[in-house]
Amino acid sequence: MKKNRPLSAQKQKTVQTITPQIAASCGSVRGKHAVILDGGKTTIFISDKSREAEIIERYNQRRKK
């Protein structure tokens, strides 16, 4: 009878080699620009600095409702 071992015991690779680079960087703010909203109460990070004014305007419109 063959014993069932957990997947972690079958593969002796580290998590870093299994996980793709893009998944490992989820939640990272590297290469992103901070946008301060609501007088410093809210901070978001965007990848395209040229959209900063548009995002601030949309945020302010939503706050008025």
Side-chain angles (χ1 to χ4, degrees):
M1 178 182 258
K2 186 177 180 181
K3 291 184 179 179
N4 291 333
R5 295 187 304 177
L7 183 62
S8 62
Q10 293 174 4
K11 295 184 180 180
Q12 297 298 322
K13 295 182 179 181
T14 61
V15 174
Q16 288 82 10
T17 58
I18 295 171
T19 307
Q21 184 68 22
I22 190 75
S25 66
C26 286
S28 174
V29 295
R30 180 186 291 169
K32 299 198 181 206
H33 306 281
V35 178
I36 310 298
L37 304 170
D38 199 24
K41 294 180 183 177
T42 306
T43 304
I44 62 168
F45 294 90
I46 58 172
S47 59
D48 188 6
K49 182 77 169 165
S50 64
R51 296 187 61 214
E52 181 178 6
E54 175 189 347
I55 290 171
I56 291 171
E57 182 180 335
R58 277 196 287 156
Y59 181 81
N60 290 332
Q61 288 175 354
R62 288 181 183 172
R63 296 273 302 161
K64 290 178 184 177
K65 291 181 180 181

